Amino acid sequence: MQAEFLAELSDEEVRALPYLFEFWALPHQLPPEGDWKTWVILGGRGAGKTRAGSEWVRSQVEGALPEDGGPARRLALVAETYDQARDIMVFGESGIIACSPPDRVPQWVAGERKLVWPNGAEARVYSANDFEALRGPQFDGAWADELAKWPRAEEAWDMLQFALRLGENPRQVVTTTPRDVPVLKRILGRRSTVMTCAPTEANRANLAASFLEEVHDLYGGTRQGRQELEGVLVEEIEGALWRAETLRGAVIEKPVHLDRIVVAVDPPVTGHSGSDECGIVVAGVRMEGSPLNWQAVVLEDASIRGASPKGWAEAAIAAMARHGADRLVAEVNQGGDLVEQVVRQVDGLVPFRAVRASRGKAARAEPVAALYEQGRVKHVRGLQALEEQMGQMSVRGYEGRGSPDRVDALVWALTDLMIEPAAQWRRPCVRTLG
């Protein structure tokens, strides 16, 4: 069908086809319909954000013919630095000049840091670091690139808003890899903002296969991968017990030899499709030196949803078999003796320890979070769902949706492996000092 379509085109139409962006664009690269003020394009690395920004600028300044005007005549192009604005937004492989048809290529006036189109429209480049330069000029459109990494993004963004005061409906586009920064969340929270989002994978046809394979191997299944590859805004709440930077630094390629492994379970109250998840986490410890120096590795998050009691018990025991675990640890606050009875029905000989919560979730989690701050807990790759729950646990309690069953299981596992052995090791010392 494509061959037939192309065969019907004239030579001139074939030459024009590469510049008809609507024909080639991915869905996230096309502006949403409606009366919006700001269009935010969130995307992973290489998802085509720059091309979308360049093509939007073209759509604003170009008319039907090269000399005809478009909806806008005075635009601001803002990047973190002047060099980045020039090298990426103007002259980059997906920049404005590269995307422009031969009869509409704008002229770069280096001394004034601006592009001038054949129809007289202009776009000036600005540095977010020099945001005071936006005081005075006025525009009817703007493109802000990689706003989430601007060092003084709040000040630069506010200054740009004061400058968007020309025309009937001044608009702006933001192209950025998401980061948990206040200015981006403030923009996304406005009713006049629309958003499109895409992962790196969406643009795979234009990316090297070796690049995709490498970055997925390195960052797939991590919080950083969620941000940099999937283009998802991973928010960090105030007072979080686990910070995103800490979790990124905890990821290892493969676990070291471990001396002891446990599977911890946080069973749901009920067992049907509407139940909370059953948290099932596998972790192990390397027991070198005193317990105050032991190192732990979280090996697997085997949590499941909607399983019957027998179903989650089978899943937990299967996880023990996969990792050669020494013990199954299960919280029994909700089910009491029934929890152990369910487990025994699946495997009557499984080494089992019942634990009961006497403090709130945040209080139990704080000592475990401290182990991460000390660099004593590592994660294998692929624990994304667990890490997202961890990021929603604060000193005030869990601030995510539902119940933090994965985090609860993690806390029980590391308490059994690390916290309690350290506490027992300290007690003889206290008695001696007394």
Side-chain angles (χ1 to χ4, degrees):
M1 183 177 295
Q2 289 179 336
E4 294 176 359
F5 170 76
L6 294 173
E8 294 174 356
L9 300 179
S10 66
D11 291 343
E12 290 185 356
E13 289 172 332
V14 170
R15 286 194 293 271
L17 195 58
Y19 302 102
L20 298 178
F21 188 59
E22 295 82 358
F23 182 81
W24 303 103
L26 298 168
H28 71 277
Q29 294 177 307
L30 295 174
E33 298 180 357
D35 185 22
W36 49 265
K37 166 78 172 181
T38 306
W39 172 26
V40 177
I41 307 173
L42 296 182
R45 301 287 186 93
K49 303 184 296 294
T50 303
R51 178 66 185 271
S54 296
E55 295 289 355
W56 180 82
V57 169
R58 280 190 56 208
S59 73
Q60 296 303 291
V61 300
E62 293 180 8
L65 298 173
E67 300 294 332
D68 294 344
R73 291 187 61 80
R74 298 289 181 270
L75 281 82
L77 308 177
V78 189
E80 181 181 350
T81 67
Y82 285 111
D83 287 348
Q84 289 173 5
R86 180 194 63 216
D87 296 344
I88 297 173
M89 303 171 81
V90 176
F91 289 106
E93 292 184 7
S94 299
I96 294 168
I97 289 179
C99 295
S100 298
D103 59 346
R104 298 164 189 251
V105 176
Q107 178 185 0
W108 173 245
V109 184
E112 300 180 53
R113 293 181 177 142
K114 72 177 181 180
L115 286 170
V116 180
W117 275 265
N119 61 14
E122 297 181 358
R124 291 181 179 267
V125 303
Y126 293 89
S127 165
N129 293 331
D130 185 20
F131 55 84
E132 288 291 346
L134 289 164
R135 187 186 298 275
Q138 52 187 354
F139 312 99
D140 50 13
W143 171 20
D145 188 47
E146 293 296 352
L147 174 142
K149 74 180 185 73
W150 294 357
R152 300 184 65 179
E154 294 277 1
E155 294 97 325
W157 179 258
D158 289 342
M159 198 64 69
L160 179 60
Q161 302 317 293
F162 287 119
L164 280 173
R165 55 181 185 262
L166 290 180
E168 295 182 1
N169 184 27
R171 288 180 162 187
Q172 57 197 341
V173 165
V174 176
T175 52
T176 189
T177 302
R179 289 187 179 182
D180 186 21
V181 294
V183 66
L184 181 57
K185 292 190 286 188
R186 175 160 65 96
I187 295 167
L188 292 173
R190 294 192 60 80
R191 288 181 296 176
S192 57
T193 296
V194 294
M195 182 188 76
T196 58
C197 181
T200 300
E201 188 76 17
N203 197 33
R204 65 176 302 125
N206 298 307
L207 301 172
S210 59
F211 162 77
L212 289 171
E213 182 179 355
E214 183 73 8
V215 294
H216 279 294
D217 285 346
L218 289 173
Y219 306 109
T222 68
R223 286 173 63 91
Q224 189 174 10
R226 288 275 285 166
Q227 172 181 288
E228 302 292 335
L229 298 180
E230 298 181 33
V232 174
L233 178 60
V234 182
E235 296 189 53
E236 188 167 286
I237 62 174
E238 183 179 354
L241 293 181
W242 286 276
R243 300 185 63 82
E245 183 179 358
T246 302
L247 292 176
R248 283 197 298 270
V251 177
I252 58 174
E253 294 301 325
K254 57 183 180 180
V256 296
H257 169 74
L258 298 170
D259 299 303
R260 185 165 175 269
I261 297 173
V262 301
V263 174
V265 182
D266 180 54
V269 179
T270 57
H272 53 74
S273 59
S275 302
D276 290 331
E277 290 178 315
C278 176
I280 303 174
V281 169
V282 186
V285 66
R286 188 176 180 89
M287 302 162 67
E288 291 186 346
S290 78
L292 299 180
N293 297 315
W294 290 359
Q295 301 284 323
V297 179
V298 182
L299 299 167
E300 183 184 356
D301 174 10
S303 304
I304 56 175
R305 179 183 293 276
S308 65
K310 184 173 183 290
W312 62 250
E314 290 174 339
I317 291 173
M320 291 188 69
R322 283 195 299 275
H323 296 277
D326 300 283
R327 176 188 283 177
L328 179 65
V329 179
E331 181 183 323
V332 298
N333 281 57
Q334 301 294 341
D337 293 340
L338 290 176
V339 173
E340 182 174 1
Q341 291 176 20
V342 170
V343 171
R344 297 291 182 200
Q345 288 174 6
V346 178
D347 185 345
L349 299 178
V350 63
F352 179 88
R353 181 191 177 200
V355 290
R356 189 177 296 273
S358 59
R359 298 182 296 165
K361 295 179 185 296
R364 296 200 308 272
E366 284 191 56
V368 173
L371 297 176
Y372 283 79
E373 294 294 332
Q374 297 165 8
R376 295 175 58 200
V377 184
K378 302 299 181 182
H379 282 195
V380 298
R381 295 191 184 278
L383 303 180
Q384 171 186 313
L386 169 62
E387 290 167 353
E388 287 188 5
Q389 275 197 2
M390 293 169 71
Q392 297 295 308
M393 180 66 77
S394 79
V395 294
R396 298 175 296 276
Y398 186 59
E399 300 190 23
R401 299 177 62 182
S403 177
D405 305 285
R406 298 168 190 262
V407 175
D408 283 344
L410 171 78
V411 168
W412 288 124
L414 294 178
T415 298
D416 186 88
L417 291 171
M418 303 272 282
I419 302 296
E420 292 185 352
Q424 293 170 5
W425 185 84
R426 287 191 184 98
R427 287 189 189 111
C429 299
V430 173
R431 287 197 296 269
T432 301
L433 291 173

